[in-house]
Amino acid sequence: MQEFQEGDYVEVKTKKGVFRGVLLPKPKFSDDDIIVIKMDNGYNVGVVPEEIRLLRRAEKREARREIKVKFREGLPTVSIIGTGGTIASYVDYRTGAVHPALSAEDFLFTVPEIVEEANIRASVVFNILSEDMKPEHWITIARKIKDEAEKSDGIVVPHGTDTMSYTAAALSFMFEKLPLPVVLVGSQRSSDRPSSDAYLNLISAVKVAKTDLGEVVVVMHASSSDDRCAIHRGTRVRKMHTSRRDAFESVNSMPIGEVSDKVRFFREYRRRDDDLVLRDRLDEKVSLIYYYPGMPLEVMERMLEGMHGAVIMGTGLGHVASEFVPLLREKIRDGMVIGMTTQCIYGRVNLNVYSTGRELKHAGVIPLEDMLPEVAYVKLMWLLANYEPEDVTHLMRENLRGEIEKRRFLK
Ligand code: GLU
């Protein structure tokens, strides 16, 4: 291995076949002695040294900076707005270093086939890990989407996966009308790893961005094999696994469609509107509170202090200890909007079954049906900033963007 360097174009013969491609840097999170090759079709393959029968240098690939994107007549234009995370990086084959993808050429390096799908306009609003995102970042992304919408037929937003569903929910509420699809996409494994999902996710996202969809969606692997992606509604999606490629699920719901070779929708969805309406204000004085047995009353009190609203993740059908009821009643009387969701994640809140639930409902706590807690949190921030206080309570219970499902889905 010593005589080979990251970035060399190599040919490897193994029992499983011959692989040609660029030698990538050793994966960051692996202790194995595995070598990873990026093949010409964009896929990465990992080979353990014991399997190698022959490793030799092959004809070198074109240098990174010589690739140029040409405008192709007749293809739709898709804007890629980078925000950071694993997906928004590419490997420079000459140096082996992982860089943020900043231009159309950089994205092309991860997925050369996107030029067959669309003319790409690429820009970067910031390059951060999604755990560092704040509501102000959601607003920046929304405004950039609005600008790009004038120049393109679809939007793709590469994003870190950790908080992608919060951003998807925020954009879903902020855009009351959308004349084009807004597709968030991430990857669980970086493009320098053999099992990277970046390639399929990105090309699938571009395909969805060309459809007649007028909603915010998340496109990610639908299964652990590398064959298809699911299209999740922005208000129903959740990261349900720390590392699997199919970590994203539509919860209490179903994906609205799927992408393999083609895009296929199998549920109702909103079509492109004629115009774009953006209401991008958010009230940050909202808490999302996970109730736990033994939570001191003062902790709840502190989390509600100075807030205009709160979403509680209660136990089971939507409960907190009964000693909390007087505090919540008082806060609601003083004008705070408090909604109840469940830490069960699956299923629907029901405050009519047990006495604590009935007391909470009587105190004015709003049962939020089957809405995901994170979605309810974002929705309340958006409602409080854009509507009169008296409308917020009933709008929290109304289905505005698919965040409340009337249908029941078996799990
Ligand atoms: N934790 C980071 C994030 O969510 C990186 C992992 C990823 O992109 O999924 O941005």
Side-chain angles (χ1 to χ4, degrees):
M1 273 297 289
Q2 275 85 344
E3 69 268 32
F4 296 102
Q5 282 180 355
E6 292 160 359
D8 284 348
Y9 197 83
V10 294
E11 184 179 274
V12 192
K13 282 198 177 129
T14 73
K15 265 204 302 254
K16 292 180 196 136
V18 180
F19 303 104
R20 285 166 69 92
V22 177
L23 191 63
L24 294 188
K26 188 170 167 339
K28 269 196 217 106
F29 307 108
S30 166
D31 295 331
D32 308 334
D33 229 359
I34 193 166
I35 72 158
V36 185
I37 289 161
K38 179 169 264 321
M39 296 187 294
D40 294 338
N41 62 8
Y43 283 103
N44 295 348
V45 64
V47 188
V48 281
E50 301 82 71
E51 284 180 5
I52 298 174
R53 292 191 180 150
L54 174 75
L55 175 62
R56 66 184 178 98
R57 203 168 267 114
E59 201 180 310
K60 212 166 177 181
R61 191 177 169 142
E62 195 180 338
R64 159 77 185 85
R65 66 173 86 80
E66 286 161 26
I67 289 196
K68 268 272 151 264
V69 182
K70 292 188 202 80
F71 181 84
R72 303 213 351 212
E73 209 63 57
L75 280 184
T77 300
V78 169
S79 291
I80 300 184
I81 303 173
T83 67
T86 303
I87 182 112
S89 55
Y90 74 93
V91 180
D92 187 324
Y93 304 123
R94 286 168 309 133
T95 61
V98 180
H99 292 288
L102 302 173
S103 66
E105 284 84 1
D106 295 340
F107 284 103
L108 253 172
F109 231 67
T110 310
V111 190
E113 286 79 0
I114 49 182
V115 282
E116 310 295 328
E117 296 288 335
N119 288 308
I120 302 293
R121 289 173 54 85
S123 56
V124 168
V125 279
F126 33 76
N127 185 34
I128 56 175
L129 299 173
S130 73
E131 57 270 34
D132 290 331
M133 284 215 189
K134 296 189 167 75
E136 70 203 50
H137 293 103
W138 306 335
I139 295 171
T140 305
I141 298 170
R143 290 182 182 162
K144 179 68 181 171
I145 291 172
K146 187 177 179 209
D147 288 350
E148 283 297 313
E150 286 167 21
K151 301 156 202 138
S152 63
D153 303 295
I155 307 277
V156 172
V157 183
H159 196 292
T161 57
D162 287 8
T163 69
M164 186 154 63
S165 65
Y166 289 77
T167 305
L171 296 174
S172 300
F173 291 112
M174 287 196 272
F175 285 106
E176 288 196 330
K177 287 184 174 184
L178 267 176
L180 77 185
V182 172
V183 187
L184 278 86
V185 64
S187 72
Q188 288 280 84
R189 304 187 190 165
S190 55
S191 51
D192 57 335
R193 293 183 64 188
S195 51
S196 176
D197 48 342
Y199 177 85
L200 185 71
N201 292 352
L202 201 51
I203 190 124
S204 302
V206 170
K207 286 179 183 170
V208 176
K210 292 162 56 183
T211 63
D212 64 348
L213 187 78
E215 291 193 33
V216 178
V217 292
V218 167
V219 168
M220 291 290 286
H221 263 56
S223 71
S224 52
S225 48
D226 221 20
D227 55 356
R228 61 207 159 83
C229 281
I231 308 167
H232 303 280
R233 181 158 280 140
T235 52
R236 296 261 42 132
V237 66
R238 200 165 192 280
K239 183 174 180 175
M240 299 298 277
H241 198 280
T242 54
S243 54
R244 283 176 68 113
R245 292 184 293 178
D246 56 349
F248 281 75
E249 276 178 38
S250 287
V251 176
N252 291 318
S253 185
M254 267 176 66
I256 57 172
E258 209 171 72
V259 192
S260 45
D261 281 353
K262 285 205 185 87
V263 179
R264 199 165 59 88
F265 289 105
F266 35 70
R267 292 196 66 199
E268 280 297 300
Y269 62 93
R270 255 173 61 193
R271 305 290 199 276
R272 291 171 185 253
D273 269 304
D274 291 334
D275 39 34
L276 182 149
V277 178
L278 170 64
R279 290 209 208 197
D280 62 5
R281 283 185 306 162
L282 294 169
D283 182 345
E284 293 195 30
K285 294 254 176 264
V286 176
S287 299
L288 176 59
I289 303 171
Y290 195 104
Y291 169 76
Y292 53 90
M295 182 183 218
L297 192 61
E298 311 86 75
V299 169
M300 177 70 91
E301 222 164 359
R302 251 180 275 136
M303 292 190 84
L304 296 175
E305 180 105 50
M307 293 292 153
H308 302 151
V311 170
I312 300 175
M313 294 172 74
T315 58
L317 290 169
H319 304 129
V320 290
S322 47
E323 68 189 66
F324 285 54
V325 176
L327 169 69
L328 300 182
R329 184 183 298 117
E330 192 191 303
K331 292 287 179 187
I332 293 165
R333 254 195 223 136
D334 291 347
M336 194 182 290
V337 180
I338 301 183
M340 182 63 75
T341 60
T342 171
Q343 42 194 260
C344 293
I345 304 295
Y346 286 105
R348 196 174 294 266
V349 161
N350 188 341
L351 299 185
N352 301 315
V353 181
Y354 295 100
S355 57
T356 320
R358 288 194 293 270
E359 280 176 40
L360 286 166
K361 199 171 159 189
H362 202 245
V365 172
I366 314 162
L368 295 177
E369 307 279 342
D370 66 342
M371 213 189 303
L372 287 168
E374 308 87 47
V375 173
Y377 159 70
V378 171
K379 180 177 179 181
L380 188 49
M381 290 169 102
W382 180 75
L383 287 178
L384 284 168
N386 294 288
Y387 288 86
E388 294 304 320
E390 57 275 19
D391 292 330
V392 173
T393 300
H394 80 85
L395 286 172
M396 267 316 271
R397 294 199 68 177
E398 238 170 68
N399 177 30
L400 305 179
R401 307 280 193 274
E403 72 277 16
I404 296 172
E405 286 272 9
K406 290 297 167 207
R407 249 174 89 184
R408 275 156 215 269
F409 292 83
L410 295 176
K411 168 70 187 169

